[in-house]
Amino acid sequence: MLDDRKLAVLRAIVEDYVSTNEPVGSKSLADRHNLGVSPATIRNDMAVLEEQGYITQPHTSAGRVPTDKGYRLFVDRLSTIKPLSAAERRAIETFLSGAYDLDDVVGRTVRLLAQLTRQVAVVQYPSLTRSTVRHVELVPVASHRLLLVLITNTGRVEQRVIETPRDVSEETVGHLRALLNTCLDGCGLGEVPNAVADLPEKVAVDDRPVAAAVLSVLLETLVEKHDEKIVFAGAANLAAVDFSQSLREVLEALEEQVVLMRLLGEVGDSSSSVTVRIGTENPDEGLRFTSVVAADYGVGDRTLARLGVLGPTRMDYPSTMGAVRAVARYVGQILAGS
């Protein structure tokens, strides 16, 4: 365990290196920070930090830079996550509240996160397996053709065209619509197959082929959308970072949905809990020089998905964590009110 003075030295090294992108020496630490000790004492503390693997000396420079282990201790010992200003909070709320559907919410969120943090933003769509049915709509659009619209409590809207075996009367459509909403209102999407199993028996014999066609498309829709969907933005921000030989690997990793899923990690139990994975803690080899800051978002106590940012290990962790946490909370509020 490091004493408070060495922790203060490590904090100062991290802050200066993040700010300047230059290795940090004992004299500059003494000049810039009120550590209350001489440069010689700071040098001794830096020697201990280096020996224990928290900082390292790049090339032949006299200065030191943090290691993944050093960043991890810095993040774990953060006393506060930097809050956003009132103007930033208002801007987030205004920008997100203008969204008109879930796709727009996710699109605005990923752009906003990338702009706030100047990193690559990643947003996971709310999982259908964690959603419930809010409403089912059936609309005649042509002879022998209906439009099925499934709306979830997270604002997700799925639309499918149904080819029916015969022309369907308005009365039949209305009856099927009412039955579906009675069966499915508030129903978890994973429970839909059981909830509609006996629905054909509740319609007239002549209408059962139509009911079967509707249910077939409904269940296919849920199966098709079972996989998670993730979007990202801000890849251009990587151009401002010196990833040297690893930039191609980072970009290739971002193109893989499976990698992005692992990147954000498992959805937790508490909304807006911020997690940080640094360098080699990331599961993908191509991301070993990056850090990921992520948070859950959801409605009330129910977590629906995660969002976060990816950037270099040399990132402003307090500000990034504050931005990710704030955006996650606002997204939850928008979804709750949608």
Side-chain angles (χ1 to χ4, degrees), residues 76-292:
D76 289 346
R77 292 299 184 92
L78 275 178
S79 57
T80 57
I81 297 176
K82 185 178 178 181
L84 299 183
S85 67
E88 287 173 323
R89 292 197 301 271
R90 283 195 301 272
I92 292 174
E93 188 172 10
T94 301
F95 186 66
L96 293 182
S97 62
Y100 56 85
D101 63 13
L102 183 65
D103 287 333
D104 196 21
V105 171
V106 172
R108 286 171 181 251
T109 300
V110 77
R111 295 196 306 274
L112 177 66
L113 260 181
Q115 291 167 5
L116 280 175
T117 63
R118 301 184 186 278
Q119 314 286 5
V120 180
V122 185
V123 178
Q124 177 186 15
Y125 269 73
S127 169
L128 276 179
T129 58
R130 292 173 174 265
S131 304
T132 59
V133 178
R134 175 178 288 176
H135 185 69
V136 179
E137 189 60 63
L138 275 180
V139 183
V141 291
S143 175
H144 295 239
R145 186 173 294 172
L146 301 174
L147 176 66
L148 170 72
V149 183
L150 174 70
I151 304 171
T152 72
N153 66 320
T154 58
R156 197 159 181 167
V157 179
E158 302 295 339
Q159 300 183 52
R160 291 292 183 278
V161 173
I162 304 168
E163 300 292 341
T164 60
R166 62 173 177 79
D167 198 10
V168 187
S169 68
E170 286 279 0
E171 183 181 359
T172 298
V173 171
H175 185 47
L176 279 173
R177 183 191 302 119
L179 285 175
L180 285 170
N181 282 293
T182 299
C183 292
L184 299 180
D185 183 35
C187 179
L189 298 195
E191 303 161 4
V192 168
N194 289 334
V196 299
D198 61 348
L199 187 141
E201 299 172 10
K202 298 179 181 179
V203 301
V205 174
D206 290 346
D207 291 333
R208 287 179 184 175
V210 176
V214 170
L215 294 183
S216 174
V217 171
L218 173 64
L219 298 178
E220 284 174 7
T221 300
L222 300 182
V223 171
E224 287 173 9
K225 290 294 181 177
H226 189 267
D227 291 337
E228 305 295 352
K229 182 179 177 184
I230 288 186
V231 296
F232 70 91
N237 290 327
L238 296 175
V241 181
D242 180 20
F243 277 114
S244 61
Q245 301 300 315
S246 66
L247 180 57
R248 176 185 289 274
E249 295 175 351
V250 174
L251 292 173
E252 288 176 349
L254 288 172
E255 293 293 339
E256 297 292 334
Q257 287 281 308
V258 174
V259 172
L260 293 179
M261 287 295 297
R262 290 204 306 266
L263 187 72
L264 289 181
E266 293 296 320
V267 172
D269 296 324
S270 58
S271 184
S272 296
S273 59
V274 179
T275 59
V276 181
R277 285 213 301 271
I278 298 168
T280 52
E281 296 171 0
N282 286 306
D284 191 273
E285 180 69 15
L287 301 176
R288 62 191 180 280
F289 297 115
T290 68
S291 287
V292 178

